[in-house]
Amino acid sequence: MGLRGFGVFVLSVILFVVLTLGMIAGSLNVFLSAGVYQDAFEEANVYSFVEKQFIGNELGLNFVKGGVKGAVDSTLEQVLDYINGDTNEIVLIIDGNEIKKFFEQEVTKFPVCTEEESAYVGGEVKCRPASLNSSQFLEQVLVEENIKIVESQEVDLLEVFDKEKNIDKLRNGVSYYKFGLWALPIIAVILVLLVFYISGESKRMALFFSGGALIFSGLIGIFGGSYFENFLLGKMNGLEGSISALVQSLLDSFVARLLVIGFMLGVIGILFYLAGFVASPKKK
């Protein structure tokens, strides 16, 4: 093979590794899109599951703008925007009117006070004065408890659930990941140029080795993704149905992207190979 041929072979192997890593990294990018999760939630009936958790609570998630689906989608989109560095806050918009309606319904459950009874016993509401209707009594209770219901209010979820800012570690990791998304294709192009440079006048050898790296990387994307998905799903046979459906939907999105990128790399590799047959052999 000679020293020149060995150098081209080594660069081609490195090119294959870089292309494969780039293909996987590009496919993982689907998990930074809210639409992928929303589709998976629909298929796995996640929205229905979350809604059922609040059946015993008459207020449920109606106090959040958009209800259950609105709360889940809004939070998901904001979390991904935060991780992607597009926003610096994650908030839920509270609908004060829904909270007020809930309290008004609860007030009607209190019995009307008799002449001997007091509405408050030990600081707790026991009954409603006969002189006040439900709405009036509610206003009185809110004043007594120093509760103010606004029409709309934002709740900072980071302050409530992540005071230590652990999500920032993930955010920093994603920023490095995005840098890699740009760096890997550039490195691949540089490696192809080096293969051609070291090949010297033998363009056929450069095209064959570069094309081979592209084709083998593409084959991993086309066939490896499906094998990985089937293997992983086989290991999760014992999982609850909705969780299994959720994972499968997410994996389907990943494998579909992997298949597309793998197919593109394979086609480019075949074109390189065809060009290699057309290219003139090395001059002696």
Side-chain angles (χ1 to χ4, degrees):
M1 178 184 289
L3 188 60
R4 186 187 298 272
F6 179 74
V8 170
F9 171 75
V10 171
L11 284 175
S12 298
V13 172
I14 297 174
L15 175 62
F16 162 75
V17 173
V18 170
L19 287 171
T20 303
L21 290 175
M23 176 179 59
I24 295 172
S27 300
L28 288 172
N29 196 46
V30 300
F31 297 124
L32 294 178
S33 171
V36 171
Y37 295 97
Q38 289 165 351
D39 291 341
F41 289 169
E42 289 283 2
E43 292 182 22
N45 296 317
V46 170
Y47 296 114
S48 299
F49 173 78
V50 174
E51 195 164 6
K52 287 178 182 177
Q53 304 311 302
F54 292 88
I55 286 178
N57 181 348
E58 294 180 30
L59 179 57
L61 280 182
N62 292 326
F63 66 90
V64 179
K65 188 176 181 180
V68 172
K69 190 174 187 303
V72 174
D73 287 349
S74 175
T75 303
L76 173 64
E77 289 167 3
Q78 290 183 82
V79 167
L80 290 173
D81 284 344
Y82 187 88
I83 292 173
N84 283 311
D86 298 329
T87 185
N88 293 315
E89 61 179 10
I90 303 174
V91 299
L92 272 184
I93 300 177
I94 304 300
D95 189 342
N97 292 325
E98 289 296 334
I99 294 179
K100 191 170 183 178
K101 288 179 183 177
F102 170 73
F103 282 137
E104 287 175 347
Q105 291 174 359
E106 291 298 303
V107 164
T108 60
K109 297 178 181 179
F110 287 102
V112 178
C113 300
T114 63
E115 293 182 1
E116 295 81 15
E117 286 183 312
S118 174
Y120 293 89
V121 177
E124 293 185 5
V125 180
K126 294 299 181 181
C127 57
R128 173 173 60 85
S131 59
L132 300 176
N133 61 34
S134 297
S135 297
Q136 292 171 334
F137 183 51
L138 174 60
E139 294 298 332
Q140 184 186 83
V141 172
L142 293 177
V143 171
E144 288 285 340
E145 299 294 334
N146 195 26
I147 298 174
K148 184 179 180 181
I149 300 177
V150 295
E151 289 188 5
S152 180
Q153 182 179 354
E154 291 185 350
V155 177
D156 189 338
L157 296 183
L158 291 178
E159 287 297 322
V160 176
F161 298 107
D162 191 23
K163 293 182 179 180
E164 297 179 358
K165 302 293 185 182
N166 291 317
I167 195 174
D168 286 348
K169 298 176 184 177
L170 181 58
R171 188 179 191 180
N172 292 333
V174 169
S175 67
Y176 288 120
Y177 160 76
K178 287 187 172 182
F179 174 77
L181 279 182
W182 287 98
L184 288 171
I186 293 174
I187 293 173
V189 171
I190 292 174
L191 287 171
V192 171
L193 293 176
L194 284 174
V195 167
F196 274 86
Y197 176 75
I198 294 178
S199 297
E201 296 181 359
S202 182
K203 304 304 178 187
R204 174 173 289 182
M205 180 172 65
L207 288 166
F208 281 166
F209 275 94
S210 297
L214 284 159
I215 290 173
F216 280 113
S217 182
L219 289 174
I220 287 181
I222 294 171
F223 298 106
S226 297
Y227 174 81
F228 170 75
E229 181 179 18
N230 292 330
F231 172 79
L232 197 59
L233 291 175
K235 294 292 184 179
M236 298 188 303
N237 282 333
L239 288 180
E240 196 272 328
S242 59
I243 297 177
S244 179
L246 176 63
V247 172
Q248 182 170 357
S249 180
L250 293 173
L251 284 175
D252 284 344
S253 298
F254 169 71
V255 171
R257 176 70 64 87
L258 198 65
L259 182 64
V260 170
I261 298 176
F263 180 77
M264 291 173 62
L265 290 176
V267 169
I268 296 173
I270 291 173
L271 291 176
F272 268 53
Y273 244 80
L274 292 176
F277 285 111
V278 176
S280 301
K282 179 181 176 181
K283 296 179 181 179
K284 297 187 179 181

